[in-house]
Structures are given as C-alpha cells and as structure tokens.
Amino acid sequence: MIRLPERRKIDDPGSSGALNDLSFILIIFFIVIAGFNINKGFLLTLPDAERPRIVQTDDLVKCRIDAAGTVSIDGNALSVEKLENLLVEKKAKWPNMTFLLIIDEDCAWEHVVRVIHEVRKLRIENFSFKMDGERR
Amino acid sequence: MIDLKRRNRRPLIAMSSMSDIGFLLLIFIMLISLINQRYEEPIEYPEAKLLEKTQEKDNLEIWIEAGGAVSVEGNRVTGEQLELIIAQSLAETPGIRVHVIADKNAPYRHIDSVVKVLQKLQLRVVSFVVKEEL
C-alpha cells in the first residue's frame, strides 16, 4: 500500500484582516487632521482706495450698521430676515445693484459678518464696505 | 487502509505583529500632530452658515484679538510692522493669500485698520476667516 505524504495545509499566520481596519482608521485620521487647518470664510475683494467706482444712485443700496449691530436702510431699522427679503426685491429690480455697507467703528465684528453672510448668500457681486465717517 | 481522517486544526491568527503596527500608528499620529501644529491666538471666532474654502498654498494669517491687538505668527505687531511683514511676504511669495482672523467681539475699527494696510499695499482679494455654524 502506498502511503501518500500528507499534504500540509498552510495556516495563514499573517492574516491581514485587521490591517484593513487599521488602514481605514489611518485614512479617517488623515481626513480629520487635514480638515483642522483649513481656513474657511468669505473671500472679499477690497475696494480700491485710490480709484473710487462711480455708481448710479439708483443702483446703490446704502446699509448702515450701528455700534449695537442694528442694521438700517434709509434710516429704517431692519432685522436680518427683513434685510434679506428687501435685498431679494432690490436685486430683482436692479440686477446691477451695489450694496454699500457703512459700519460704525464700535460695531462688533460678528454683526458685520452676519450682514456679509446675507450678501454672499444672495450672490450680490457688487459689494463694498467702509467705516462710518470715512470718505471713499 | 489509508487513514483519510483529517485533523481538525484550529485556525491561528498571529497577533504578534499587531503591536508593531500599533506602535507605528502611534509614531505616525505623533509626527502628523507635530507637523500640523498651527499657531492660534485665543479668539472667539464669528460664525456663519454659508462659507467657502479660502485656504491657498501660501497663506499669511493676521490675527485680531477682541482688545484690538494684531499679531502675525505669534508676534504682536503695529500698523507699520504689519505693513512691512505683508510687503515682505508679497515680495517673497507673490500669490500669497492673506487671512484676517478677527475675534467676533472685536470692534470694527481694528479690522478697518488692517484693511487699510492691505488696501495701501494694493492687496485686493482677502480672506475673512469665519467658523462654520453648526
């Protein structure tokens, strides 16, 4: 009787099952860390101080923001929601509308950011801002 | 007769290399954390919902604290020093992106003083950094 040599089944000692999990953890870690150092915000084009733009008065919307953060147009105080509605109406009427934000020197930056956010949301291209009391 | 009965071997998973991988991971995380270290001023970020990514390859961050202190790369600067730093950065890297990172409670006059310097240097496109509102 022939005795066949027993074929040894190779055990898989280097199982790579856990390595998949590890590599995924590594990828997640990479993505999270990469997101930490990225600045986000508003990319604004600063007005040219030397060459002021001439805008038709009809196309100009002057918005003031006082020290307390109250937004007003033509002396009428508005909430941010009302400002949004008003700007939607004005933009529909005058597509080339220029929005000029006049900011009180003591106004907190967060109030200004609130208004800039609305302007960006409504995609108003012609946007300018200056501090109250200065000439531009 | 041939003995065809197979031995039931229990599968073996070698776990000895896992500790090595674990250590490598640890070293990797530590290194990445060191590389990714970023200078931050203690400010409260203003928040907004609709934001865009403003990061560029080369960036210069100008920090404005609530009290009006302006700093660049950890150094407090005056208006003249800021102008010099920006001018030097622009000369070295023409496409540098300037980020203004101001505290949400900072009065606008402090931001305006930085904006004036940027305007003076004909730097037109500026990023105003805001945190995403959740």
Side-chain angles (χ1 to χ4, degrees), chain B residues 32-47:
Chain B
I32 288 286
S33 310
L34 275 175
I35 293 165
N36 256 32
Q37 233 174 18
R38 163 196 164 118
Y39 166 76
E40 288 249 356
E41 279 291 340
I43 65 153
E44 276 186 80
Y45 284 85
E47 291 182 354

Side-chain angles (χ1 to χ4, degrees), chain A residues 33 37 46-47 106-107 134, chain B residues 36 108-109 116 119 124 128:
Chain A
I33 285 288
N37 284 356
L46 299 181
D106 290 322
C107 177
E134 80 184 33
Chain B
N36 256 32
Y108 181 71
R109 61 176 178 273
K116 286 221 170 64
Q119 280 179 314
R124 304 295 304 280
F128 291 89

Side-chain angles (χ1 to χ4, degrees), chain A residues 26 29-30, chain B residues 23-34:
Chain A
L26 213 63
F29 172 76
F30 241 134
Chain B
F23 272 113
L24 279 176
L25 205 65
L26 205 66
I27 293 163
F28 173 77
I29 289 168
M30 282 160 75
L31 278 176
I32 288 286
S33 310
L34 275 175

